[in-house]
Amino acid sequence: MWSRLDHLVNKNSSIRVKQSAVVSLAGVTLLVAACGGGGGSSGDTTATLSADPGFYLSDVSFSGDTGATTDALTLMSADGTYVTVLDDAPFDATFGKLDFSGAAVSGTAVNIFLLSGDLWGKTRGTVSGEVTGTGTLALQATAEDGGSSSTVTLQRQSDLSNQGLSLATLAGTYTGTIASGGTESLQFTIAADGAVVGSHMDCNFTGQASVPNGRFNVFELALDASSCLGRQNGAESILYGNFTGLGAYDYAGASVVFIINNTEIGIYGEIPKR
């Protein structure tokens, strides 16, 4: 379990989340419930959006028998790519892309969630809604089979979102742990051009970090762990395949926070700079 989201918006605007936190994103958060899951270049493309990139805190209402509500965190990049993380739930994240046409919002989402042990689930769905005010969105997510839906209100956190980010800030060596059910050690270096080289238990990986818009504290991350076997093939590491996702920089803790997936499993990382 991860720490509650109020930890994100307090303590000197730190975005730090403890390793016991949960994952679900903006429109993502919606889909997580709707689908029945467990819980270096810089070009300014923001003009295509009706909602700025950054951090969004979410209130989520689930349809169906439970009628439950929960909090979530959403990260959104400059092109509408997002990831949503549910608070106080098993590892559960939704990845997708939102498209904006005026105030109208539509999009897709894929919910990847941990069931138990090394067993993961995945559901797909659609997102629709509108921008209701400055930094505020009202969305609904519907599972692909139409069997369930969720509603969520998103409120952008300008203090965290508008800190800005550059590859020069990200550059450095990071050592820490990642969470994907359990926790495992990870070390990697981000070069000045965003190139990533790292190691994780029994394998090495490469990748690329990029900052789509330097005015906002969001970066995109892609990791190539194709040389890793993963636990499903008897290796020690959970890493295998190609991962993509989003992250942000914790200025107070001099660390990166990221949520990535390889279409089958998800990984959450909060890694301090060494």
Side-chain angles (χ1 to χ4, degrees), residues 5-6 8-9 55-59 72-74 153-157:
L5 294 176
D6 56 12
L8 297 174
V9 294
F55 292 83
Y56 289 78
L57 294 186
S58 311
D59 293 321
L73 166 69
T74 295
T153 299
L154 308 174
Q155 180 62 58
R156 187 173 184 269
Q157 306 300 298

Side-chain angles (χ1 to χ4, degrees), residues 10 51 62-63 118 130 144 149 158 176 178 189 199 220 233 253 266:
N10 293 319
F62 305 136
S63 66
D118 292 332
E130 62 181 344
E144 196 171 56
S149 64
S158 59
I178 54 176
T189 297
S199 61
E220 298 176 354
N233 290 320

Side-chain angles (χ1 to χ4, degrees), residues 2 15 17 19 23 25 55 73 75 83 85 91 93 95 170 174-179 184 186-188 190 196 205 209 219-223 238-239 243-250 255-261 266-272:
W2 297 346
I15 60 172
V17 181
Q19 302 234 330
V23 189
L25 287 49
F55 292 83
L73 166 69
L75 285 177
V83 56
V85 180
F91 188 97
F95 301 81
L170 287 176
Y174 297 82
T175 303
T177 57
I178 54 176
E184 300 177 4
L186 183 77
Q187 177 176 307
F188 62 91
I190 301 178
V196 178
F205 60 88
F219 69 90
E220 298 176 354
L221 180 64
L223 298 181
I238 59 174
L239 288 180
F243 288 80
T244 59
L246 298 177
Y249 189 76
D250 178 358
S255 61
V256 291
V257 175
F258 58 85
I259 307 104
I260 57 178
N261 79 95
I267 291 176
Y268 166 79
E270 178 192 346
I271 315 294

Side-chain angles (χ1 to χ4, degrees), residues 137-179:
L137 296 84
L139 302 176
Q140 180 171 11
T142 303
E144 196 171 56
D145 61 7
S148 57
S149 64
S150 302
T151 58
V152 62
T153 299
L154 308 174
Q155 180 62 58
R156 187 173 184 269
Q157 306 300 298
S158 59
D159 55 339
L160 300 176
S161 303
N162 297 339
Q163 289 178 312
L165 188 61
S166 67
L167 289 177
T169 298
L170 287 176
T173 297
Y174 297 82
T175 303
T177 57
I178 54 176

